[in-house]
Amino acid sequence: MSHMYNLAIIGAGPSGIATAVESYLLGVRDIIILEKDQNHNSTIRKYYKDNKRVDKDWKGQKVELEGKIYFVDGTKESTLDFFDEILNNHSVELRTHTEVQNIKKRDGYFEIFIAGESINAKYVVVTIGRMGKPNKPDYKIPQGVKDKVAFTLDNCGIGEKILVVGGGDSAIEYAIDLSAKNEVAICYRRETFRRANPTNQRDIANAIMHKEVEPILGVDINSLEDENGRVKVIFSEREADIYDRVIYAIGGTTPSAFLASSGIKEEDGKPSHDENYETNIEGLFVAGDITQESGGSIALGLNHGYAIAKHIQEKKL
């Protein structure tokens, strides 16, 4: 048998790091975090614009922190620095570029399968974020414009005509950020941006009032077409328009196939778990965005990590 870890955590976001650090502070050793991307907190790195505000009380939801990790309001950059610091100050192994394929329960331990090998652990916590699998439109994206359709701001240029699709915080922040150097429209199927936090609602209203962002509200997109390398957007109840780039910010989905392959049951689109975030498989836990209705709260993710760490420690690992 290969090396046996006491605790393996899949996903190096806030809840994954919190589970590892809180467990370490409670006396658990031999902990590994497995992250498929090149660094921790890939969702924050990919989907948060530079200097994005990061609030402890996400969308005004008051959360009292229960563990030893003290998180406060900040920016994208200060939040990443914060998690860098707590990882550096505790003996937790972080293995990046490691995508987990599935998990199997063996006799008294778990085998975690990755490309070309497997890792063994007594306890496993799955903290994969929803944005690891961003929602995509139902209609087909033409092959000729696939490089012009994206889910992040990567590769956006200057002086482009850009359509942002979505009505949440990320969509609004993308539109406002891009409008400084581009011609930007935002398309949302509802008439108002009621899903967004109050600050972003105010900011987008101001941008629309000053004609910095064109609103396309109460309108669906029926399809996309390739118009000589540009993206032709076919709207419902509105004339088609052509854009240099289309950015989708329409949320993410629970990685159901991965959960099912590992034997984790789902209920109402989320993995089922008890009050300690333990799934139907004893010793296998879930935490973070995939357990929440809409995801996004770092503070809640930290509390999940503490609750799991405390429960595992009480099992006298």
Side-chain angles (χ1 to χ4, degrees):
M1 181 182 292
S2 63
H3 178 78
M4 178 69 69
Y5 288 92
N6 280 321
L7 175 61
I9 298 159
I10 301 169
S15 56
I17 293 172
T19 305
V21 172
E22 296 285 7
S23 296
Y24 180 87
L25 293 172
L26 288 170
V28 178
R29 297 294 183 266
D30 226 356
I31 301 168
I32 187 170
I33 305 176
L34 305 172
E35 169 56 49
K36 71 175 182 178
D37 284 304
Q38 62 184 359
N39 212 331
H40 64 81
N41 284 295
S42 60
T43 294
I44 293 176
R45 295 178 194 277
K46 291 180 181 179
Y47 298 100
Y48 286 29
K49 67 184 183 68
D50 291 346
N51 298 310
K52 171 181 165 63
R53 185 183 67 256
V54 179
D55 297 328
K56 170 184 166 290
D57 296 327
W58 185 69
K59 288 190 176 181
Q61 182 180 12
K62 300 290 184 182
V63 177
E64 294 298 325
L65 294 172
E66 298 168 355
K68 297 285 179 66
I69 297 175
Y70 184 67
F71 179 73
V72 297
D73 296 346
T75 63
K76 169 185 176 178
E77 291 75 14
S78 68
T79 299
L80 292 174
D81 288 344
F82 171 78
F83 284 109
D84 273 336
E85 182 179 356
I86 64 173
L87 276 172
N88 290 337
N89 289 338
H90 301 87
S91 295
V92 173
E93 181 181 348
L94 171 60
R95 186 186 296 190
T96 58
H97 300 287
T98 305
E99 184 167 7
V100 174
Q101 297 166 344
N102 59 34
I103 307 159
K104 297 299 181 186
K105 181 75 179 281
R106 303 303 187 193
D107 184 18
Y109 70 97
F110 291 91
E111 187 172 7
I112 304 162
F113 293 90
I114 58 179
E117 65 172 308
S118 64
I119 292 171
N120 298 327
K122 295 179 182 177
Y123 293 92
V124 176
V125 185
V126 177
T127 68
I128 302 171
R130 289 176 182 270
M131 289 309 296
K133 186 179 179 183
N135 286 330
K136 298 183 179 181
D138 295 331
Y139 41 85
K140 184 178 179 181
I141 299 173
Q143 187 65 38
V145 294
K146 280 187 180 291
D147 62 338
K148 303 295 184 182
V149 177
F151 303 88
T152 71
L153 299 189
D154 293 349
N155 302 318
C156 286
I158 296 174
E160 292 184 321
K161 183 177 179 181
I162 300 175
L163 177 68
V164 177
V165 182
D169 292 307
S170 293
I172 290 171
E173 290 166 7
Y174 287 175
I176 292 171
D177 187 51
L178 290 166
S179 69
K181 297 179 180 179
N182 299 276
E183 179 186 347
V184 177
I186 185 168
C187 178
Y188 185 40
R189 58 191 176 85
R190 300 190 185 278
E191 297 285 350
T192 63
F193 297 101
R194 61 188 181 188
R195 284 179 50 221
N197 68 48
T199 299
N200 281 333
Q201 289 187 44
R202 183 183 66 244
D203 289 348
I204 192 64
N206 186 62
I208 291 170
M209 181 178 66
H210 289 92
K211 302 188 183 304
E212 296 165 355
V213 175
E214 177 193 359
I216 304 176
L217 301 178
V219 175
D220 286 319
I221 296 175
N222 292 334
S223 63
L224 303 181
E225 295 180 3
D226 181 355
E227 187 76 13
N228 298 318
R230 300 179 76 205
V231 187
K232 184 175 183 180
V233 180
I234 312 301
F235 297 101
S236 64
E237 302 178 7
R238 179 186 173 95
E239 289 188 7
D241 206 344
I242 298 172
Y243 298 89
D244 297 308
R245 192 176 303 277
V246 177
I247 308 293
Y248 287 91
I250 52 178
T253 57
T254 300
S256 297
F258 172 78
L259 296 176
S261 70
S262 300
I264 300 173
K265 293 180 179 179
E266 284 191 70
E267 186 175 344
D268 298 327
K270 301 188 299 297
S272 57
H273 58 81
D274 63 14
E275 67 276 9
N276 298 308
Y277 302 96
E278 192 167 20
T279 69
N280 54 291
I281 301 173
E282 185 178 0
L284 180 55
F285 300 79
V286 289
D289 287 3
I290 57 173
T291 69
Q292 302 175 41
E293 287 293 340
S294 57
S297 174
I298 291 176
L300 277 178
L302 298 180
N303 281 352
H304 294 173
Y306 174 69
I308 293 169
K310 186 178 178 183
H311 184 63
I312 289 176
Q313 190 268 343
E314 289 171 351
K315 287 175 174 284
K316 307 299 183 185
L317 192 153

